Structures are given as structure tokens and as C-alpha cells.
């Protein structure tokens, strides 16, 4: 199968860094494994520089890694790099890429001096950087220093527009954005077609390898196997950093936890005797690996959402919903995986609705938003009202409820409006139906989530 280089929005941010900083910083591209970091930076190097050196520290020889243990003579360092990589570097016109930089802490710490030298530009890619730096101190016993000469950029799985681009469709999302801005209904027939297209994205997901496999084979069983391979890779990372297996257990339990409709991730139901305050390392790994998105409960839903979170009350979502779908049926082979059939035919049962909640979380994070939610007791105190997501919006908050069923009710939003009307900028119901208004609630189809 051919390996495609997909058009990614992050490319524009790389261009901005090159033009604005002009070598005064290194660019650190963070993101989960397999989101396409290495591919896009090498494509950028080919297009925007006269020459480049690409060092993948996950497979680099000890000889190359050891070059960064002593950087007192940068002339010798650059000579050795050119000899080992077989590339001639041109001052001001060459890029050096440190791929999987977390595998070579000494190279990352050298960035300060390399940038100050000014001869070349530098891009680092990596994941789990914070965890790796903490667990691998310098050999002389001093604390490993994180360089300040970095501009950090986060890369996520392919968003829905990038997925459409991969399928050769560059027209749909600009047209949909125009509809959203003008608030003009599309009509049921058009919306059904757009939802069918969107459901394919939910199933395949945004991991480039999975998308590439779908384009080559149009076979969702092959795509499912690719996603299982990626999840196994994540598990390997988890076990390397947390041999107890708790991180992996927390990750694999995400679909079941969302399906339980609980108001929080119940750690104790996954790990016997588990408590959030005793699981600092596993939760840090899940967060810093960027394999998950975390939504924290905001005790006071106002513009300063981050100031009022309860760190012990949170929900976990998979960073990629395609992986989430596979994870939800981890113990079943593809032929018995009903979720693919249900999604493609729009016959999703109520107990699979959590998939839509996960995709909304992913789409919000991809646009740079942090995730918060809010619960409060009903009048009879027998259950809770819950709004799925809160996002800061022009000094207030916008409230979001995700509805996977055909029901048009939105009781939690209605009660939230009654309780916090002065704090609300907009209220949204995200569902599978056409765009419309229901009182003060704006109802939008799932594929319009990126425009919030």
C-alpha cells in the first residue's frame, strides 16, 4: 500500500514559525504517537529548506546519540552529523529535525546552545516529554533542564476537514461553515447525506495510517486492525512508564466509563481500591501522552472555568474517536463488531451514544478548546442534571449538550439556562438533525462542531 502525505493544517503553523522566529527558537511539535508528526515535518523540510537532516532517536545509533553528550565544540558536532547522515548543511538554509526527542534527553537539552549558535533551524517532535524528562535525570545527578528556546505547537489527529481533504473533497466544509454563519437550514436530505459522510470519519478516525488504509482498501476490517496496532503501541508506552499496568487499565476502560453515564470517571471501579490522589503517575501519562482528552468538572460555571475545577472529578475521552470505536469492542473481532454496522446505517442504539460524546470532545480540543462540564442535583435530588461541555466565550460561557438519540428534548440545558442565565453566551444542542433554533437553544448537526 502506498503511504500518502496528507494535507494538514499544522503546516501553516510551521510556516509561521519559520517566517516569524527565523531560527531564534526551535519548534517543538508535540502530539500522540502516530498522529503524523514525523511525516509533516519531513515534508516541510523538503519543501521549505535547501537541505535537512532527519534524526529519528527511536532508531538512531548510539554513536549519533552520544554526539550530544558533549556539545562544547559545535563545529565538530555539525561535522559529525553531516558525516553520519550523509547530508551537507547550509547555514541559514538547512533544518535539523530531532524526531522522537524524548528518546534522547541530551539532544533536547542541547537545543538552547544550538539555537544560540544560529547556524541552522531546528524542529523537535515528541510525546510524553514531561514524563520522560522527569524519569531520566542527567547522568551527573543534576536535574534535567527543559529548554526555554522552544515554541510549542500541538498536533492532533486529522480533524474532519482534513479527513474530507484526504477523500478529495475541499468544498464541503467551507460551504457548511457558510451555512452555520448565516444560520440557514440545509434541508433534511442534504443533512442526511452529510451525516453519512461524517459517520465514516467517526469510524475510521483521524490517525493518518488508518485513513491511508481506508483509501487503499475501502475495507473497515483492515482499518480496524491498523487501529488495534496503534492501541498496542500505546499500551507498550504505558507499560514502559508504568509497569503496574494501571495506566493501560484506565485507558481501556474509557468506553465503559462513558457508557455508564456516571458524572465522573470512577477510578475505583477500574482499579480496586484506586483513588485519584494515588494515581498521579498513570493520569499524568494519559494526559501527557495526548492519547486522551480530559474534561474537568467546573464547580462554578463562569468565565473563569479553570479556576473552579475539581481535579478529582473528571471524565476521560480518547484523543481519536476511531481508536475509541475499536477500544469499545476490544475483545471482539471485526465481524462481530456491531458498532460499524450500526453507524454506517444510522441505526445506533442508545447504549452506543457515548461515541458521539467522544467525537464532540475531540473536535472541540482540535480547535484549541479545553474541556469542562457541570453537574448539579435535580429538584428531587434523586439524580443529576449534566451539561456535557462548557467553553469560555467572550467573557461568558457557552454550554453544550450532546444528543445522539432522535429526542429533541434538552432538559439539562433548559435548567442550566434558568440557573445561570446571566453567564451564558450561547447554548447549543449538538445532534444528528439539521440546523435550527429551539427557543434560545441553537441546534446544530455534529459536523458543525468545529465552528463553535
Amino acid at each position: 500500500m502506498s503511504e500518502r502525505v496528507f494535507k494538514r493544517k499544522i503546516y501553516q503553523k510551521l510556516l509561521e514559525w519559520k517566517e516569524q522566529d527565523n531560527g531564534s527558537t526551535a519548534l517543538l511539535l508535540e502530539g500522540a504517537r502516530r498522529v503524523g508528526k514525523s511525516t509533516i515535518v519531513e515534508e516541510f523540510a523538503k519543501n521549505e529548506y535547501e537541505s535537512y537532516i532527519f534524526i529519528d532517536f527511536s532508531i538512531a545509533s548510539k554513536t549519533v546519540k552520544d554526539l550530544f553528550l558533549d556539545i562544547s565544540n559545535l563545529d565538530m558536532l555539525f561535522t559529525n552529523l553531516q558525516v553520519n547522515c550523509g547530508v551537507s548543511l547550509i547555514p541559514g538554509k538547512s533544518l535539523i529535525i530531532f524526531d522522537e526527542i524524548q528518546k534522547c534527553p541530551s539532544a533536547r537539552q542541547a537545543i538552547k546552545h544550538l539555537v544560540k549558535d544560529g547556524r541552522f533551524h531546528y524542529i523537535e517532535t515528541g510525546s510524553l516529554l514531561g514524563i520522560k524528562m522527569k524519569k531520566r535525570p542527567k547522568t551527573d545527578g543534576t536535574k534535567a533542564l527543559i529548554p526555554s528556546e522552544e515554541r510549542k505547537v500541538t498536533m492532533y489527529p486529522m480533524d474532519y476537514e482534513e479527513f474530507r481533504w484526504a477523500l478529495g473533497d475541499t468544498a464541503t466544509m467551507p460551504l457548511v461553515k457558510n451555512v452555520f454563519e448565516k444560520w440557514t437550514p440545509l434541508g433534511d436530505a442534504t443533512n442526511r447525506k452529510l451525516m453519512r459522510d461524517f459517520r465514516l470519519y467517526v469510524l475510521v478516525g483521524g490517525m493518518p495510517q488508518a485513513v491511508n488504509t481506508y483509501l487503499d482498501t475501502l475495507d473497515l476490517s483492515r482499518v480496524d486492525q491498523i487501529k488495534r496496532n496503534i492501541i498496542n503501541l500505546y499500551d507498550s508506552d504505558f507499560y514502559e512508564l508504568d509497569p503496574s499496568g494501571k495506566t493501560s487499565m484506565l485507558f481501556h476502560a474509557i468506553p465503559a466509563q462513558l457508557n455508564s453515564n456516571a458524572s465522573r470517571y470512577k477510578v475505583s471501579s477500574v482499579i480496586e481500591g484506586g483513588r485519584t490522589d494515588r494515581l498521579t503517575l498513570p493520569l499524568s501519562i494519559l494526559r501527557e501522552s495526548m492519547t486522551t482528552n480530559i474534561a474537568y468538572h467546573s464547580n462554578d460555571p463562569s468565565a473563569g472555568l479553570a479556576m473552579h475545577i475539581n481535579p478529582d472529578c473528571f471524565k476521560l475521552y480518547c484523543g481519536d474517536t476511531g481508536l475509541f470505536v475499536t477500544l469499545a469492542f476490544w475483545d471482539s473481532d471485526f465481524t462481530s463488531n456491531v458498532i460499524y454496522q450500526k453507524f454506517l446505517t444510522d441505526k445506533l442504539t442508545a447504549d452506543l451514544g457515548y461515541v458521539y460524546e467522544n467525537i464532540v470532545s475531540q473536535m472541540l480540543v482540535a480547535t484549541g478548546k479545553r474541556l469542562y462540564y457541570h453537574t448539579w442535583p435535580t429538584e428531587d435530588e434523586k439524580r443529576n442534571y449534566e451539561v456535557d461541555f462548557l467553553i469560555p466565550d467572550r467573557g461568558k460561557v457557552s454550554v453544550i449538550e450532546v444528543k445522539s438519540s432522535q429526542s429533541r428534548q434538552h432538559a439539562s440545558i433548559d435548567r442550566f439556562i434558568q440557573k445561570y442565565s446571566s453567564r451564558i453566551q450561547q447554548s447549543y444542542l449538538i445532534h444528528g438533525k439539521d440546523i435550527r433554533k429551539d427557543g434560545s437553544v441553537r441546534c446544530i448537526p455534529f459536523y458543525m462542531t468545529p465552528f463553535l
Side-chain angles (χ1 to χ4, degrees):
M1 293 187 294
S2 60
E3 194 66 34
R4 298 170 177 83
V5 177
F6 296 113
K7 180 182 177 182
R8 305 295 298 272
K9 295 177 182 177
I10 199 79
Y11 195 100
Q12 183 59 38
K13 292 186 178 181
L14 302 183
L15 275 177
E16 290 171 2
W17 161 76
K18 181 176 186 286
E19 294 167 1
Q20 294 171 5
D21 291 18
N22 192 28
S24 63
T25 67
L27 186 133
L28 173 61
L29 186 61
E30 294 184 286
R33 297 253 255 150
R34 293 291 191 265
V35 296
K37 302 185 298 295
S38 305
T39 300
I40 200 67
V41 296
E42 187 161 19
E43 183 71 6
F44 178 71
K46 291 176 182 177
N47 295 340
E48 309 299 335
Y49 290 87
E50 291 193 18
S51 69
Y52 70 95
I53 285 177
F54 185 99
I55 305 173
D56 181 351
F57 283 115
S58 68
I59 59 173
S61 66
K62 184 176 184 299
T63 299
V64 170
K65 289 182 178 180
D66 286 349
L67 293 176
F68 297 93
L69 294 176
D70 181 2
I71 58 169
S72 58
N73 186 336
L74 290 181
D75 290 342
M76 185 58 65
L77 171 66
F78 294 137
T79 297
N80 281 323
L81 284 176
Q82 291 174 90
V83 169
N84 278 276
C85 299
V87 174
S88 295
L89 294 173
I90 305 167
K93 298 180 180 180
S94 293
L95 174 69
I96 300 177
I97 299 168
F98 294 155
D99 194 41
E100 302 289 356
I101 188 70
Q102 74 276 5
K103 300 287 186 180
C104 188
S106 58
R108 190 177 183 205
Q109 291 180 81
I111 282 294
K112 175 180 179 179
H113 306 285
L114 296 174
V115 169
K116 184 178 180 181
D117 172 76
R119 272 176 270 187
F120 310 111
H121 291 189
Y122 301 89
I123 292 181
E124 309 158 87
T125 78
S127 58
L128 287 161
L129 290 168
I131 299 293
K132 291 284 186 178
M133 292 294 281
K134 291 173 186 174
K135 290 182 73 69
R136 296 186 182 182
K138 291 172 67 175
T139 54
D140 62 4
T142 61
K143 185 178 179 181
L145 298 175
I146 297 175
S148 58
E149 290 74 12
E150 291 177 336
R151 180 194 283 205
K152 292 185 181 181
V153 178
T154 303
M155 188 173 185
Y156 299 103
M158 295 170 72
D159 67 18
Y160 185 48
E161 185 169 25
E162 291 171 330
F163 182 77
R164 298 307 312 167
W165 291 345
L167 270 58
D169 173 13
T170 59
T172 293
M173 290 306 284
L175 291 171
V176 169
K177 184 177 182 181
N178 187 55
V179 168
F180 175 83
E181 291 173 346
K182 293 184 176 180
W183 205 259
T184 306
L186 287 157
D188 289 341
T190 300
N191 179 66
R192 281 195 297 270
K193 189 269 181 190
L194 293 175
M195 279 301 300
R196 283 196 301 271
D197 294 342
F198 179 74
R199 288 194 296 273
L200 179 63
Y201 170 63
V202 174
L203 294 177
V204 174
M207 305 305 277
Q209 192 177 2
V211 176
N212 191 71
T213 300
Y214 176 75
L215 293 174
D216 278 339
T217 68
L218 303 181
D219 183 347
L220 289 175
S221 67
R222 298 281 294 277
V223 174
D224 190 72
Q225 186 55 59
I226 292 297
K227 292 188 292 177
R228 287 174 185 268
N229 294 344
I230 294 172
I231 292 171
N232 285 329
L233 176 67
Y234 289 174
D235 275 332
S236 296
D237 288 341
F238 296 155
Y239 276 101
E240 178 188 348
L241 294 166
D242 175 21
S244 73
K246 292 177 181 177
T247 304
S248 180
M249 291 169 65
L250 293 172
F251 180 72
H252 278 262
I254 290 174
Q257 287 288 310
L258 288 179
N259 189 38
S260 70
N261 289 319
S263 60
R264 60 176 8 176
Y265 189 109
K266 293 185 177 179
V267 172
S268 60
S269 68
V270 179
I271 299 172
E272 186 176 355
R275 284 175 25 187
T276 301
D277 58 359
R278 296 176 181 173
L279 295 170
T280 302
L281 177 61
L283 292 172
S284 294
I285 293 171
L286 290 176
R287 181 177 60 251
E288 296 203 31
S289 66
M290 300 183 194
T291 56
T292 62
N293 296 318
I294 303 180
Y296 286 102
H297 188 277
S298 179
N299 297 332
D300 182 18
S302 57
L305 289 168
M307 296 187 296
H308 303 289
I309 65 168
N310 180 351
D312 296 327
C313 187
F314 58 86
K315 289 187 175 185
L316 287 179
Y317 299 94
C318 283
D320 178 71
T321 305
L323 297 184
F324 179 90
V325 169
T326 296
L327 201 62
F329 288 84
W330 187 248
D331 296 325
S332 305
D333 62 27
F334 177 81
T335 57
S336 60
N337 193 337
V338 297
I339 199 169
Y340 286 93
Q341 304 163 28
K342 297 288 187 182
F343 253 94
L344 287 177
T345 58
D346 195 24
K347 298 186 184 301
L348 186 71
T349 55
D351 63 339
L352 297 179
Y354 53 86
V355 178
Y356 280 121
E357 190 176 336
N358 200 95
I359 191 63
V360 170
S361 74
Q362 178 183 342
M363 296 170 89
L364 291 174
V365 168
T367 61
K369 296 178 176 64
R370 295 185 177 182
L371 303 179
Y372 305 94
Y373 71 103
H374 183 66
T375 64
W376 70 102
T378 58
E379 290 75 7
D380 58 12
E381 299 188 349
K382 291 183 178 179
R383 57 187 182 87
N384 283 333
Y385 291 118
E386 178 177 324
V387 288
D388 295 310
F389 300 106
L390 297 169
I391 53 176
D393 191 348
R394 292 167 287 173
K396 295 187 177 182
V397 295
S398 284
V399 55
I400 297 170
E401 185 172 342
V402 179
K403 185 74 69 173
S404 60
S405 68
Q406 299 299 316
S407 171
R408 295 192 173 189
Q409 296 182 350
H410 36 78
S412 290
I413 284 187
D414 293 339
R415 296 299 186 276
F416 189 90
I417 292 172
Q418 292 175 9
K419 189 176 178 67
Y420 300 110
S421 60
S422 63
R423 305 181 183 185
I424 299 173
Q425 186 65 245
Q426 293 288 353
S427 54
Y428 295 99
L429 176 72
I430 304 180
H431 63 169
K433 298 294 184 181
D434 196 3
I435 192 170
R436 65 182 178 86
K437 286 197 72 174
D438 188 0
S440 62
V441 179
R442 294 179 172 235
C443 306
I444 63 171
F446 289 101
Y447 50 80
M448 289 187 180
T449 302
F451 309 134
L452 298 184

